[in-house]
Amino acid sequence: MKKNDVILQTVTKIVFFIILTFGVELFLSGHNNPGGGFIGGLVLSSAFVLLYLVYDIETVHRGTPFDFKRVAALGVLLAVGTGMFSLVFGEPFLSQKTWLVDLPVFGETELGTMTIFEAGVALTVLGVVVTIILGISEDVE
Amino acid sequence: MITVLLAIFIPFIAAGLVPFIHKFLTGSRIGWFVITIPLFLFALLIRLVPSLSEGASYLYTLPWIPSADVYFSTHLDGLSMIFALLITGIGSLVVLYSIYYLSEREAIGRFYTYLLLFMGAMLGVVLSDNLIVLYVFWELTSISSFLLIAFWYHRKQSRYGAKKSMLITVTGGIFMLVGFLMLYTITGTFNLQELVAMREVIAADSLFIPAMLLVLVGAFTKSAQFPFHIWLPDAMEAPTPVSAYLHSATMVKAGIYLVARFTPVFAGDTTWFFVVSCVGLLTMLWGSVNAVKQTDLKALLAFSTVSQLGMIMSLLGIGSLAFASSESTHIALFTAATFAALFHMINHSTFKGSLFMVVGILDHELGTRNIQRLGGLATIMPITFTIALIGSFSMAGLPPFNGFLSKELFFEATLSLKEANLLSMDSLVLLFPIVAWVGSIFTFIYCMIIVFQTFFGKVHAPVPGQRPAHEAPIQMLISPMVLGSLVVLIFIFPNLLGTYILGPAMNAVYPQFVGMPGLVPEIKVWHGWGMPIYMTIGVVITGVLLYCFLRYWKGIYSFGFLQWTLDRSYNALLQRVERVASVVTKTYMTGSVRDYVAYIMLFFIALVGIGLLGFQQFIFDFSNDAVIEINESIIIFVMMCSSVAILFAKSRITAIILNGVLGYSIAILFVVFRAPDLALTQIIVETVTTVLFLLCFYYLPEWRNEHKSISMRVRNGLIAVASGVVVTVIALLVQGHSLYPSISVYYETASRLAGGLNVVNTILGDFRAFDTMLEVLVLFIAGLGVYSLVKLRRKKGVDHPEEK
């Protein structure tokens, strides 16, 4: 069946980035407002899922040349790694720390190891969700 | 002392780097990168030897999970030092040997990754001071050795051997963990040093004997003691460098380490002495008797390792008697046994390591390890022959090699038992030297088999597939040559080893005898005429006679109890377990999701519902409840409608959409109750799962109205109603009870403690980060599972590699 979804594709090109921005925003604001790694990761993956729905798998692969299984693995490494990292400084496993840093554009900003940990969560969620959905859908072809 | 911590982590870091470096250092060159790690660690450790011999020890503690009493504490004392030096020293030689042994076509990167993992795990075992940390590393050695044994995984025998070794050692490790937990309930500490200090408290507890026996099961399985030794011969399917490393120098010695380490905790009780020394002696006898009948050189060495480990074990058992003695002369007699054990362990690593490498060379150059197809190699391979001669004669306990010294000490230790009259069982004590003597005769015989049947006699014509005999390249001979010269050097300067290496270790095993004269006996090359030397002469004479007439009496191996092997019972047990498991699985894995949901619901009803009935606390208190607003009731009404409607949906797509309605209504409810985090999560999860559902749509069969029997409908209806009732009752009961103070008070200070204003996220990322971390791991593993189930399904008509 020949599909004609020009409108969907055009809209997606813009919406994809809006969703990505929203995901990152959710992820970053998670420290003080609703959001966080899990939701951020889910939103990011929903952006990719949309992309895969609208375009075919090969086209998207050309645009995103990374393996989502590796993204998930990187996420797990980050999450476990921050836990291990605190050991190096003589703190108990998984201790988190925050600093207040004065950044040029953003002003006074909180930087913390929890953000790295949450990034690990987000990447794992993103990697796993996209891997599963791709795995099932590739099989259809 | 951060050095010790580094010693554990450097191999792990290097193991992680190997795959990346392998891209630049192709082929065997990666070995030159790997060899720097054990060499560096060896140098790092040897620098500390002088300070250790002056009585220092290095304790370094890092909090890991302080709330569970788990500290990442490392402790370097004399005992750990011996093992750490063996692991890194022999490790360097093994890596050097493997650079030339493994062909370029092998997966060399994978090999070195596993080897480094194993090295780090082994160092972790001997250097950690916390029992839980020790256990983690202990099981890691089992896993990494599993990977190493199954290195040639396309061979069925390799997979069988790897599985067997892992099953036996991991099971033993779990027993050991239970023992550790018992020790924790007695003392309230996981720290080895504190345990040693509290040995009186432990000895008085009723859990003392169970804890001791459980720890011993762990040690015996790892050190291949009877009847757990059956994994070791099968583990010989590994590449020879692995056998030389794991099965002579390191992994099998972990059990010895554990027994020596726990001697100050458990010794003093005669149970410890009897179990350790009897199992050790039995293993020694059994291993040596079985070694003689082997025709594969590597299998022969495997059984000889079993036997030698048994000998070391029995010495440690005898050494534990020092704790029960009161007279100082007796104490010195028995501490000498432990000294002999540690001394022989070092000797064993040198000569057995070199012998394994020699067998590897024979295999590599001739393509066979079968004794019946070897012969007359002494003139063709003179260097290999010399090394084999040194190694075997040392193992047989002949001068001028180091095995002679430790074997004399062994005889002396078994003889010293009758001096003890600590026990009223004199006849049993008399058996010890006899068994030791008989075991030594068989040891002598198989050592002669290695030397004479391989290197003397007539040269066999090469059969097809076998290369003509020639000497190995010199690079491959370096490692066994180093070990062989150590065998001789230790014989000449044994007391150097005694003072610097064994002395500090003795202090660690006998903390209360530190500084006692005679704790570190002086080893004499000639110890005068006495019972031990007569026994040795007897061994040589009987051994030579028996060896000469070997072909006449070898027939006895073919009948009687010697035919009975534990292997058979192991295989039968495994088969039965598999059969029962498959029968059980077939009955409940029906393949119908509906059945699985029914199981889950039934389990839930049984657990929670019956639990509720048991408590009989049905207090319903609605006085504190908030008023239900009209908009809330509307949402609830929508939810009820959609869930009931699902039951009557005529097509699958309707059901999915109705399910979505349900999910989004819950999200709205969260918004109404001011839980934005939950609402957000719910909306996004709902969206993603709906997409997933639509994808799965493709596979699902036609939606059809099934005509099911009335009894089936009634059953399903009952389950549905019952689970609904249970949930409702719980929800209503919760209002009437407040057993504990509210935990939300704790989180009022969350922003100060965790530096974040969003309580939900600080809980997820900080207060309960351990949960989150493990959840992420589970998610990852589940994702990989789904992926591989979907992608790597067996294609029809394609052979599966597992069945080859």
Side-chain angles (χ1 to χ4, degrees):
Chain A
M1 184 179 74
K2 181 105 169 60
K3 281 189 292 184
N4 190 354
D5 37 30
V6 181
I7 297 176
L8 189 58
Q9 292 193 344
T10 318
V11 170
T12 304
K13 274 178 195 165
I14 303 159
V15 168
F16 174 67
F17 291 101
I18 297 177
I19 302 178
L20 276 191
T21 318
F22 178 56
V24 175
E25 156 68 17
L26 267 184
F27 161 66
L28 285 178
S29 65
H31 207 54
N32 296 321
N33 292 307
F38 184 70
I39 306 175
L42 271 180
V43 172
L44 291 181
S45 47
S46 67
F48 279 99
V49 169
L50 177 68
L51 214 56
Y52 280 111
L53 282 180
V54 174
Y55 295 93
D56 58 313
I57 287 175
E58 277 81 40
T59 318
V60 183
H61 269 323
R62 254 179 277 134
T64 54
F66 42 84
D67 188 350
F68 282 95
K69 290 188 290 299
R70 295 198 177 184
V71 173
L74 178 70
V76 172
L77 266 184
L78 271 182
V80 180
T82 45
M84 287 292 184
F85 198 62
S86 52
L87 277 182
V88 179
F89 293 101
E91 296 283 324
F93 186 57
L94 277 172
S95 310
Q96 313 281 8
K97 189 152 173 57
T98 27
W99 297 273
L100 273 176
V101 185
D102 206 8
L103 289 181
V105 182
F106 301 93
E108 191 140 288
T109 316
E110 265 188 1
L111 289 180
T113 51
M114 204 162 99
T115 316
I116 306 173
F117 182 78
E118 293 275 334
V121 176
L123 286 179
T124 316
V125 172
L126 167 66
V128 168
V129 169
V130 177
T131 305
I132 292 178
I133 290 182
L134 270 189
I136 294 174
S137 58
E138 267 180 353
D139 211 53
V140 176
E141 321 256 313
Chain B
M1 192 68 187
I2 197 100
T3 320
V4 185
L5 202 69
L6 278 181
I8 299 176
F9 279 108
I10 286 177
F12 286 113
I13 297 166
L17 287 178
V18 163
F20 300 105
I21 294 176
H22 193 38
K23 283 185 184 147
F24 308 105
L25 288 171
T26 45
S28 60
R29 273 181 295 166
I30 185 79
W32 294 109
F33 161 74
V34 172
I35 199 170
T36 54
I37 287 140
L39 271 181
F40 169 70
L41 294 177
F42 187 77
L44 206 67
L45 289 166
I46 207 111
R47 227 165 38 90
L48 300 174
V49 164
S51 65
L52 276 182
S53 68
E54 280 157 21
S57 75
Y58 299 97
L59 190 67
Y60 186 76
T61 302
L62 269 181
W64 188 14
I65 312 170
S67 49
D69 257 345
V70 177
Y71 291 85
F72 202 102
S73 43
T74 56
H75 184 229
L76 181 74
D77 61 359
L79 190 61
S80 323
M81 181 55 110
I82 294 187
F83 288 89
L85 285 179
L86 283 180
I87 294 160
T88 51
I90 308 254
S92 319
L93 293 174
V94 163
V95 173
L96 178 68
Y97 176 76
S98 67
I99 292 174
Y100 297 100
Y101 184 84
L102 288 173
S103 102
E104 301 259 329
R105 281 172 317 221
E106 309 273 7
I108 295 176
R110 200 157 54 83
F111 176 79
Y112 286 122
T113 309
Y114 297 163
L115 201 71
L116 284 169
L117 269 185
F118 174 77
M119 194 181 287
M122 207 55 217
L123 285 169
V125 167
V126 299
L127 290 174
S128 53
D129 194 52
N130 190 287
L131 291 184
I132 296 298
V133 178
L134 190 150
Y135 171 73
V136 170
F137 282 121
W138 182 274
E139 296 293 42
L140 204 56
T141 60
S142 296
I143 294 166
S144 48
S145 77
F146 167 82
L147 292 170
L148 281 169
I149 296 168
F151 181 66
W152 288 320
Y153 56 84
H154 49 272
R155 293 190 195 165
K156 198 174 179 191
Q157 274 302 314
S158 291
R159 294 200 303 269
Y160 173 77
K163 204 167 81 183
K164 194 175 188 180
S165 78
M166 178 144 114
L167 269 180
I168 293 177
T169 54
V170 167
T171 314
I174 292 169
F175 276 91
M176 186 182 83
L177 177 67
V178 178
F180 285 172
L181 294 176
M182 284 183 177
L183 284 176
Y184 183 72
T185 55
I186 300 172
T187 60
T189 175
F190 279 128
N191 276 17
L192 267 167
Q193 297 308 307
E194 289 170 32
L195 281 176
V196 171
M198 289 173 82
R199 62 175 173 276
E200 271 101 22
V201 182
I202 300 171
D205 203 277
S206 57
L207 282 175
F208 176 67
I209 298 284
M212 173 206 288
L213 294 178
L214 287 168
V215 170
L216 278 179
V217 170
F220 288 165
T221 47
K222 202 68 149 188
S223 272
Q225 298 294 297
F226 187 89
F228 307 113
H229 66 275
I230 50 169
W231 67 265
L232 193 59
D234 283 304
M236 289 301 138
E237 292 299 326
T240 303
V242 173
S243 311
Y245 192 39
L246 269 67
H247 310 122
S248 76
T250 54
M251 178 159 116
V252 288
K253 302 251 158 86
I256 306 276
Y257 168 78
L258 198 75
V259 170
R261 186 49 96 195
F262 274 93
T263 296
V265 179
F266 289 122
D269 192 277
T270 44
T271 322
W272 175 267
F273 158 71
F274 273 116
V275 175
V276 175
S277 58
C278 291
V279 168
L281 267 188
L282 185 63
T283 310
M284 185 205 172
L285 188 65
W286 184 261
S288 58
V289 169
N290 271 296
V292 174
K293 74 170 179 188
Q294 304 300 323
T295 50
D296 180 2
L297 270 179
K298 234 172 142 181
L300 191 154
L301 286 181
F303 275 104
S304 99
T305 303
V306 169
S307 151
Q308 299 278 314
L309 288 169
M311 172 177 162
I312 299 170
M313 203 57 103
S314 67
L315 278 171
L316 283 175
I318 297 169
S320 73
L321 280 179
F323 283 85
S325 349
S326 45
E327 289 173 51
S328 61
T329 47
H330 283 168
I331 292 175
L333 263 183
F334 295 126
T335 54
T338 302
F339 182 83
L342 297 173
F343 184 43
H344 189 71
M345 195 187 69
I346 297 175
N347 296 344
H348 176 246
S349 296
T350 56
F351 62 69
K352 189 57 68 66
S354 72
L355 281 176
F356 264 118
M357 290 178 184
V358 163
V359 171
I361 288 172
L362 292 177
D363 194 12
H364 198 262
E365 302 304 318
L366 302 166
T368 183
R369 304 190 301 246
N370 195 330
I371 299 176
Q372 283 149 354
R373 280 166 54 187
L374 293 169
L377 294 171
T379 47
I380 306 167
M381 306 172 86
I383 306 176
T384 314
F385 165 64
T386 316
I387 300 165
L389 189 83
I390 293 173
S392 323
F393 277 27
S394 177
M395 183 152 69
L398 298 174
F401 306 112
N402 58 5
F404 171 72
L405 302 176
S406 43
K407 208 203 50 201
E408 295 302 295
L409 289 173
F410 171 55
F411 283 154
E412 221 163 276
T414 54
L415 288 167
S416 70
L417 274 178
K418 71 173 185 302
E419 309 275 330
N421 51 37
L422 290 158
L423 320 149
S424 50
M425 298 176 209
D426 285 338
S427 50
L428 189 89
V429 161
L430 267 180
L431 266 178
F432 271 74
I434 296 170
V435 174
W437 190 70
V438 175
S440 296
I441 291 173
F442 280 98
T443 307
F444 184 87
I445 296 171
Y446 69 68
C447 290
M448 294 308 112
I449 291 177
I450 298 173
V451 176
F452 290 101
Q453 298 202 354
T454 317
F455 291 99
F456 290 94
K458 67 177 189 338
V459 184
H460 286 245
V463 293
Q466 188 178 332
R467 281 147 284 180
H470 56 94
E471 182 59 285
I474 186 73
Q475 299 97 323
M476 217 158 140
L477 288 166
I478 294 173
S479 295
M481 263 160 37
V482 171
L483 287 172
S485 36
L486 273 177
V487 168
V488 182
L489 279 178
I490 292 175
F491 178 79
I492 303 171
F493 307 109
N495 290 314
L496 213 61
L497 204 67
T499 334
Y500 282 101
I501 306 283
L502 295 170
M506 292 298 283
N507 290 341
V509 180
Y510 295 107
Q512 74 274 48
F513 300 144
V514 172
M516 190 191 81
L519 187 65
V520 185
E522 198 181 329
I523 312 164
K524 297 190 200 78
V525 169
W526 174 246
H527 45 82
W529 294 105
M531 204 48 195
I533 195 77
Y534 296 137
M535 280 167 85
T536 305
I537 293 169
V539 164
V540 174
I541 293 170
T542 328
V544 167
L545 282 175
L546 281 174
Y547 175 72
C548 291
F549 298 102
L550 186 62
R551 62 173 176 275
Y552 299 107
W553 59 269
K554 219 178 172 181
I556 59 164
Y557 278 112
S558 58
F559 54 64
F561 74 103
L562 287 169
Q563 271 289 4
W564 170 74
T565 58
L566 288 156
D567 258 346
R568 245 173 261 169
S569 6
Y570 166 84
N571 289 336
L573 182 76
L574 216 60
Q575 260 172 13
R576 187 154 309 155
V577 168
E578 271 172 17
R579 212 165 39 232
V580 171
S582 79
V583 167
V584 171
T585 311
K586 265 182 198 142
T587 47
Y588 73 84
M589 293 292 277
T590 53
S592 155
V593 179
R594 199 170 294 162
D595 283 345
Y596 301 155
V597 174
Y599 297 149
I600 295 171
M601 287 304 176
L602 278 174
F603 186 71
F604 167 75
I605 295 164
L607 202 73
V608 182
I610 294 171
L612 274 179
L613 285 179
F615 282 116
Q616 296 285 350
Q617 295 266 318
F618 293 101
I619 306 161
F620 296 100
D621 176 16
F622 303 115
S623 55
N624 288 331
D625 290 6
V627 185
I628 299 172
E629 302 282 337
I630 183 80
N631 52 354
E632 288 155 22
S633 356
I634 293 172
I635 299 168
I636 300 286
F637 182 72
V638 170
M639 283 165 68
M640 283 159 71
C641 287
S642 63
S643 50
V644 172
I646 293 176
L647 294 178
F648 302 99
K650 284 279 179 286
S651 78
R652 213 175 277 281
I653 197 115
T654 323
I656 291 173
I657 289 170
L658 283 170
N659 201 32
V661 170
L662 188 60
Y664 285 115
S665 314
I666 295 175
I668 295 171
L669 206 62
F670 284 142
V671 173
V672 171
F673 289 132
R674 296 186 198 87
D677 272 287
L678 287 176
L680 255 176
T681 315
Q682 178 70 24
I683 289 173
I684 298 164
V685 167
E686 205 53 47
T687 312
V688 175
T689 43
T690 308
V691 171
L692 258 177
F693 258 130
L694 289 171
L695 277 173
C696 295
F697 210 67
Y698 184 87
Y699 296 101
L700 298 174
E702 285 287 297
W703 181 283
R704 54 180 185 273
N705 275 328
E706 293 158 77
H707 292 289
K708 296 215 300 203
S709 62
I710 297 289
S711 65
M712 193 78 125
R713 281 166 183 270
V714 170
R715 194 199 73 179
N716 287 347
L718 275 179
I719 294 174
V721 170
S723 40
V725 167
V726 170
V727 173
T728 314
V729 168
I730 290 174
L732 295 178
L733 271 179
V734 167
Q735 301 295 319
H737 286 265
S738 61
L739 293 174
Y740 304 102
S742 167
I743 56 164
S744 56
V745 181
Y746 176 76
Y747 294 112
E748 277 169 11
T749 52
S751 65
R752 191 171 49 78
L753 285 173
L757 293 175
N758 181 355
V759 167
V760 179
N761 264 337
T762 48
I763 291 173
L764 286 177
D766 198 322
F767 297 111
R768 320 261 335 140
F770 195 54
D771 293 358
T772 313
M773 192 195 84
L774 292 182
E775 274 161 22
V776 166
L777 262 176
V778 168
L779 184 70
F780 179 59
I781 294 166
L784 283 186
V786 171
Y787 179 79
S788 41
L789 280 177
V790 172
K791 294 295 282 188
L792 309 175
R793 260 188 316 201
R794 191 185 303 193
K795 301 277 189 303
K796 272 186 190 138
V798 179
D799 268 350
H800 207 257
E802 284 284 308
E803 276 151 26
K804 264 185 217 159

